[in-house]
Amino acid sequence: MTNDDLIYQIEMVRNTMITVGMSKGLTSSETILLSKKLDRLLNLQFHRQKVRSA
């Protein structure tokens, strides 16, 4: 996955999570799963940037 792909994925999951959170609630299982997926993507991006700057 390229960096552009990763950024696109992050934005898509973030937007979906916001939409689901607004319609189903912030504590719905779907919102929580999307939040965890977003966390994994953000951690991947962080680690990639950390490796590039080292």
Side-chain angles (χ1 to χ4, degrees):
M1 176 184 309
T2 68
N3 192 51
D4 288 341
D5 293 336
L6 181 56
I7 291 169
Y8 178 79
Q9 278 290 111
I10 288 169
E11 290 303 316
M12 293 301 296
V13 172
R14 178 183 286 138
N15 290 334
T16 303
M17 183 187 71
I18 291 168
T19 301
V20 170
M22 291 175 69
S23 65
K24 295 186 177 183
L26 298 177
T27 58
S28 76
S29 59
E30 190 175 351
T31 305
I32 292 169
L33 286 173
L34 288 164
S35 176
K36 288 178 181 181
K37 182 175 182 177
L38 180 59
D39 286 345
R40 286 191 298 271
L41 291 169
L42 289 170
N43 284 333
L44 177 59
Q45 182 186 38
F46 173 77
H47 289 294
R48 284 185 177 187
Q49 288 175 347
K50 190 174 176 183
V51 167
R52 269 190 253 143
S53 66

